């Protein structure tokens, strides 16, 4: 048993949710990339994909590191209930992301991509926030691992998400022009982590 979780039940619950969430995300997020491949790609930008993946692994690795540190030192350790709070955030964040991916349909790509037949999608989660696929999943992981020191790591993800979302918006404005600018005026929030705060 990993001591961060206090009980075997908590550990099994965490890893069940963790692996289901990431497996579902991987399957749904990458299926379009394999189906469409280069078909209809107008512009594609790879550098932020690797920054995004790097931030993901950075947050997860150090969330575990600080989880162990807080457990064994007693410094910054959050109550056991945060495991459940974190799992709720993981499920809610991933559910919102999957809704966004399915709504975007053939236009979704893990790599920032503009397709030749690209259109502005403004319904579903895209009526609430412009980049809903950036959700609260990693915040959930940080909370579940019960260290106060893990929470600031989410700020790194917010910075990376902002950078990536801004690049994506520049490409969409270049390629879609007024159609995207009109959408941007209607939907003010940039990405779904901002739904978590005013």
């Amino acid at each position: 048993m990993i001591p961060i979780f206090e009980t075997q039940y908590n550990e099994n619950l965490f890893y069940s949710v963790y692996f289901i969430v990431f497996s579902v995300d991987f399957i749904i997020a990458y299926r379009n990339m394999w189906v469409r491949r280069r078909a209809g790609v107008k512009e594609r930008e790879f550098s932020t994909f690797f920054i995004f993946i790097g931030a993901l692994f950075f947050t997860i690795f150090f969330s575990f590191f600080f989880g162990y540190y807080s457990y064994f030192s007693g410094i910054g350790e959050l109550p056991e209930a945060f495991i459940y709070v974190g799992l709720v955030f993981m499920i809610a964040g991933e559910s919102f992301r999957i809704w966004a991916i399915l709504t975007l349909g053939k236009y979704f790509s893990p790599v920032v991509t503009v397709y030749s037949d690209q259109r502005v999608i403004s319904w579903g989660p895209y009526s609430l926030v412009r980049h809903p696929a950036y959700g609260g999943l990693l915040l959930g992981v940080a909370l579940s691992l019960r260290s106060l020191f893990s929470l600031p790591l989410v700020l790194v993800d917010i910075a990376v998400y902002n950078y990536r979302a801004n690049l994506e918006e520049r490409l969409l404005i270049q390629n879609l022009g007024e159609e995207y600018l009109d959408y941007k005026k209607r939907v003010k929030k940039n990405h779904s982590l901002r739904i978590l705060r005013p």
Side-chain angles (χ1 to χ4, degrees), residues 5-116:
F5 301 109
E6 298 283 356
T7 69
Q8 189 66 54
Y9 171 79
N10 286 343
E11 183 177 341
N12 292 343
L13 182 63
F14 172 82
Y15 280 113
S16 295
V17 171
Y18 181 84
F19 285 116
I20 289 169
V21 158
F22 276 97
S23 298
V24 168
D25 186 280
F26 185 84
I27 291 165
I28 292 177
Y30 286 87
R31 78 176 171 174
N32 264 8
M33 196 172 180
W34 299 118
V35 170
R36 287 199 75 156
R37 298 188 181 241
R38 293 182 176 274
V41 171
K42 189 173 183 182
E43 197 165 351
R44 180 169 276 170
E45 198 285 324
F46 273 99
S47 66
T48 55
F49 173 74
F50 297 110
I51 295 170
F52 178 80
I53 295 297
L56 177 77
F57 282 103
F58 173 86
T59 301
I60 292 170
F61 175 82
F62 279 102
S63 290
F64 272 97
F65 174 83
F66 287 127
Y68 276 103
Y69 172 78
S70 291
Y71 180 84
F72 286 109
S73 70
I75 302 170
E77 184 181 17
L78 297 170
E80 186 181 354
F82 274 81
I83 295 171
Y84 308 112
V85 173
L87 291 175
V88 169
F89 269 95
M90 283 173 67
I91 293 166
E94 183 60 20
S95 298
F96 198 70
R97 175 175 162 79
I98 295 301
W99 182 27
I101 292 170
L102 295 176
T103 301
L104 203 56
K106 67 179 183 177
Y107 300 123
F108 178 81
S109 174
V111 177
V112 175
T113 303
V114 178
Y115 294 100
S116 54

Side-chain angles (χ1 to χ4, degrees), residues 26 37-38 68 79 101 118 120 124 165 171 180 187 193-195:
F26 185 84
R37 298 188 181 241
R38 293 182 176 274
Y68 276 103
I101 292 170
Q118 189 83 39
V120 173
L171 292 178
Y180 191 81
V187 180
L193 276 170
R194 293 202 172 152
I195 289 178

Side-chain angles (χ1 to χ4, degrees), residues 75-191:
I75 302 170
E77 184 181 17
L78 297 170
E80 186 181 354
F82 274 81
I83 295 171
Y84 308 112
V85 173
L87 291 175
V88 169
F89 269 95
M90 283 173 67
I91 293 166
E94 183 60 20
S95 298
F96 198 70
R97 175 175 162 79
I98 295 301
W99 182 27
I101 292 170
L102 295 176
T103 301
L104 203 56
K106 67 179 183 177
Y107 300 123
F108 178 81
S109 174
V111 177
V112 175
T113 303
V114 178
Y115 294 100
S116 54
D117 62 345
Q118 189 83 39
R119 293 292 177 268
V120 173
I121 304 297
S122 58
W123 56 88
Y126 291 91
S127 66
L128 304 172
V129 63
R130 295 197 305 272
H131 298 277
Y134 303 131
L137 177 63
L138 294 179
L139 176 59
V141 173
L143 287 169
S144 292
L145 295 170
R146 301 176 53 230
S147 175
L148 196 59
F149 301 113
S150 296
L151 301 182
L153 298 174
V154 178
L155 298 176
V156 174
D157 296 312
I158 291 172
V160 169
Y161 294 166
N162 274 334
Y163 175 74
R164 193 169 196 246
N166 289 334
L167 172 66
E168 190 173 342
E169 293 206 327
R170 285 199 300 274
L171 292 178
L172 288 167
I173 289 166
Q174 285 171 19
N175 287 278
L176 300 177
E178 285 301 320
E179 185 184 1
Y180 191 81
L181 288 171
D182 288 344
Y183 167 68
K184 192 173 177 181
K185 287 174 189 172
R186 293 196 310 273
V187 180
K188 298 296 184 185
K189 286 187 183 290
N190 191 2
H191 57 71

